[in-house]
Amino acid sequence: MSGRTEGGLIERRPQKSASKQSHTPRGGRDIGFVFQDPSASLDPVMPIGKQIAEVARTHLGLTWSQSYARAKTLLERVRLPDPDSALRAFPHQLSGGQKQRVAIAAAIAAGPKLLIADEATSALDTIVQAEIVALIRRLVTEDGMTLLFISHDIALAAELAGRIAVFRHGQLVELGMTAQIVDAPAQPYTRALLDAHIGLDTKPLLNRAGLHA
Amino acid sequence: MSLLAVSNLTKRYRRGDNTIAAVDDVSFHIEPGETLALAGPSGSGKSTIARVVLRLIEPDDGRIEFEGDDFLALRSAALRARRARLQMVFQDPLAAFNPRATVARVLDDPLRIHGIASRSERPRRIAALLERVGLTADLAPRAIHEISGGQRQRVAIARAIATKPSLIVLDEAVSALDVSVRGEILELLLDLQRQEKIAYLFISHDLGVIRSIAHRVILLDAGRVAENGDARTVIDAPQSAIGKALVAAAPRLNRTLMRLASAGLD
Ligand SMILES: Nc1ncnc2c1ncn2[C@@H]1O[C@H](COP(=O)(O)OP(=O)(O)OP(=O)(O)O)[C@@H](O)[C@H]1O
Ligand SMILES: [Mg+2]
């Protein structure tokens, strides 16, 4: 019964004059990662400003002060309140969603060509989530970033992805354009996933008769 | 008498030179067998409330009555005894355990610590707990890291109900689960509530899930209560600015489909 994961993906159009020389893609520089549990990718004893600045410094060759300026801009872009004081905060001083936004800022700090986001917005409220979705969409359309967006939330994946690949037990069940997957899935498993989605208009599971308040 | 009555709770944190009120004069109550959901923007104070209610941190101000006692005044043995009635399930609740610890070990702890069953009785109790949460007893000798995420969450629930609690605090307890497993866990929680009259303080960002399983909801904004009412009524027609914004921003399959249709196949 352990169904798993809708992966949505947006592809970058091939860029004509992208540098020809091939090199092995490097984590941080060419590929940014965001994982579900932001604590796992953040250093608990380093101020978060430094963690983000370090990515920019290492991969973009900026000075420390340029890197900190970039870190602050990134914290604004992921809508972290009070970015100045947040730069100096340690991860344990932030809420779950704030840490997740820091992890996203660090992942995009070096302007990666590919962003792999694994349940990257699951700890965010709907408002910040929508802002992050808009931010990621801009990175894709304006900066030509490619996105691999892994999520349990098919409604969210549908908002971001051009195509959706449905996996079960590590096997590809179905791959298609978002509209086709959501509107006319070919596989019963995809149908089951869509039916398990609890939206704002789904019939509630709770039968109210039960409570003796 | 309410099961839990929280009055004028305040918790401040210092960060650098600033002090922020993570929770600012919050009051609410939970009745036996009721689910009260807490929602609100990231950083609005939900987890802080959960931690104060569980007495993992002390508030700066306020009063908590739990099962008729002044809960913040309880110390040592009295606190330990009362803690058995107040359990928690977090997003990855078994993360705190050694991954090589067995399922039996995880369930043995609360039974032993709270003196609920003698050593010879405990294996039978553990088997019964596993069955109660829809698992089979042969899972007992398995290591935590060998079982699936859904099974782990069931074990965490089994651990929480081992001490026969009247209230379980769930902080993003189902957010990491895939949709089919999540549905099963929600059904399990509702079933436990019906059978044992357990109340839940249910923290989530998922307004669809809250609308589906909670009786009432409190919307927090910057540490304060912005809106409070019947879960379906509030989510179907929020009155507060923050409620309207949270609902408007929720992803909606229908809306996305319409957008895709009108944009043509891009
Ligand atoms: N130990 C701490 N030190 C300083 N500030 C803290 C600490 N813990 C929490 N905070 C701050 O208190 C506020 C409330 O945090 P809390 O974790 O309760 O939010 P939340 O509503 O659970 O958010 P999320 O939805 O992101 O999990 C946040 O602004 C957070 O940065
Ligand atoms: Mg939280």
Side-chain angles (χ1 to χ4, degrees):
Chain A
M1 283 297 275
S2 74
R4 156 82 182 152
T5 311
E6 303 86 47
L9 30 111
I10 298 185
E11 287 166 296
R12 182 174 69 124
R13 309 236 152 69
Q15 277 177 352
K16 277 166 261 131
S17 61
S19 62
K20 279 273 165 58
Q21 85 263 33
S22 70
H23 66 278
T24 315
R26 274 175 296 162
R29 174 74 187 90
D30 300 310
I31 306 177
F33 298 95
V34 194
F35 299 110
Q36 175 159 21
D37 176 10
S39 309
S41 50
L42 297 175
D43 183 339
V45 296
M46 196 192 282
I48 59 160
K50 185 165 182 203
Q51 305 197 33
I52 301 169
E54 198 164 75
V55 179
R57 204 183 67 94
T58 315
H59 296 299
L60 303 179
L62 305 179
T63 65
W64 270 116
S65 75
Q66 289 169 325
S67 304
Y68 271 100
R70 184 165 170 85
K72 189 180 160 195
T73 312
L74 286 161
L75 290 182
E76 282 160 3
R77 288 186 85 181
V78 296
R79 300 285 190 265
L80 208 70
D82 196 1
D84 277 313
S85 104
L87 283 173
R88 278 174 275 124
F90 290 93
H92 78 269
Q93 296 177 312
L94 301 180
S95 77
Q98 290 166 345
K99 276 190 286 223
Q100 202 163 42
R101 281 178 272 172
V102 170
I104 293 170
I108 61 175
K113 297 191 186 68
L114 168 65
L115 179 66
I116 299 177
D118 186 355
E119 296 286 349
T121 63
S122 61
L124 299 178
D125 64 77
T126 52
I127 301 169
V128 176
Q129 188 179 64
E131 287 169 352
I132 299 284
V133 164
L135 168 66
I136 291 179
R137 204 183 268 138
R138 276 200 307 280
L139 291 171
V140 170
T141 53
E142 290 166 20
D143 303 351
M145 185 183 78
T146 301
L147 172 68
L148 179 62
F149 188 81
I150 301 163
S151 176
H152 294 308
D153 186 342
I154 199 160
L156 182 65
E159 288 199 342
L160 260 175
R163 296 191 298 152
I164 294 182
V166 176
F167 282 84
R168 181 186 202 185
H169 301 314
Q171 302 241 305
L172 180 66
V173 172
E174 184 170 2
L175 169 65
M177 301 301 288
T178 296
Q180 177 257 307
I181 294 286
V182 174
D183 205 21
Q187 295 297 321
Y189 178 69
T190 308
R191 180 77 264 160
L193 275 184
L194 286 162
D195 291 344
H197 174 72
I198 301 177
L200 292 179
D201 48 7
T202 305
K203 184 174 178 293
L205 291 169
L206 177 71
N207 168 11
R208 307 296 197 101
L211 178 71
H212 328 276
Chain B
M1 186 187 67
S2 296
L3 176 67
L4 181 83
V6 171
S7 328
N8 310 104
L9 198 70
T10 297
K11 175 72 188 174
R12 295 181 205 92
Y13 284 115
R14 182 160 304 142
R15 208 167 73 195
D17 312 327
N18 316 356
T19 303
I20 61 152
V23 179
D24 189 1
D25 196 23
V26 166
S27 302
F28 62 87
H29 61 96
I30 304 181
E31 303 306 316
E34 183 188 35
T35 298
L36 174 69
L38 285 184
S42 165
S44 58
K46 304 178 295 293
S47 298
T48 304
I49 291 176
R51 286 197 283 261
V52 172
V53 164
L54 291 163
R55 286 204 60 185
L56 300 174
I57 54 175
E58 295 291 310
D60 292 301
D61 216 336
R63 186 181 159 80
I64 300 178
E65 249 175 66
F66 177 55
E67 295 189 326
D69 283 330
D70 178 354
F71 193 50
L72 295 173
L74 293 184
R75 297 279 175 267
S76 49
L79 175 60
R80 202 165 338 113
R82 194 49 53 132
R83 270 218 168 108
R85 306 279 296 157
L86 176 50
Q87 289 291 344
M88 61 187 126
V89 178
F90 289 164
Q91 189 167 47
D92 189 2
L94 302 184
F97 288 90
N98 177 346
R100 277 192 291 271
T102 62
V103 169
R105 175 67 208 282
V106 166
L107 297 178
D108 193 72
D109 281 350
L111 296 174
R112 180 173 45 80
I113 292 166
H114 291 285
I116 288 165
S118 68
R119 175 190 277 274
S120 61
E121 266 176 84
R122 291 206 289 268
R124 210 163 30 80
R125 278 295 186 98
I126 290 170
L129 281 169
L130 287 172
E131 268 156 39
R132 184 67 194 86
V133 298
L135 297 170
T136 48
D138 57 14
L139 214 66
R142 303 270 294 280
I144 293 298
H145 73 90
E146 292 174 341
I147 63 178
S148 73
Q151 288 173 329
R152 272 215 292 276
Q153 209 58 335
R154 284 178 197 270
V155 171
I157 293 170
R159 182 178 157 89
I161 62 172
T163 59
K164 301 214 172 298
S166 56
L167 175 63
I168 302 181
V169 176
L170 301 117
D171 191 351
E172 302 283 357
V174 298
S175 331
L177 302 172
D178 61 81
V179 284
S180 54
V181 176
R182 184 186 63 186
E184 292 164 15
I185 298 282
L186 292 174
E187 294 278 12
L188 170 63
L189 290 173
L190 290 179
D191 184 52
L192 288 170
Q193 183 167 68
R194 271 192 300 271
Q195 304 294 324
E196 341 250 333
K197 279 197 71 186
I198 301 175
Y200 298 122
L201 179 60
F202 186 87
I203 298 175
S204 175
H205 286 301
D206 194 326
L207 301 175
V209 167
I210 288 177
R211 185 178 168 282
S212 181
I213 63 138
H215 297 93
R216 285 188 300 128
V217 65
I218 287 179
L219 301 183
L220 292 167
D221 190 16
R224 304 188 71 102
V225 175
E227 189 166 351
N228 176 2
D230 173 87
R232 275 177 234 173
T233 310
V234 167
I235 290 170
D236 288 345
Q239 301 298 310
S240 63
I242 196 69
K244 287 178 183 161
L246 286 167
V247 169
R252 279 194 189 78
L253 269 177
N254 295 343
R255 197 173 55 191
T256 304
L257 269 181
M258 267 151 58
R259 180 174 60 76
L260 289 173
S262 68
L265 282 179
D266 185 26

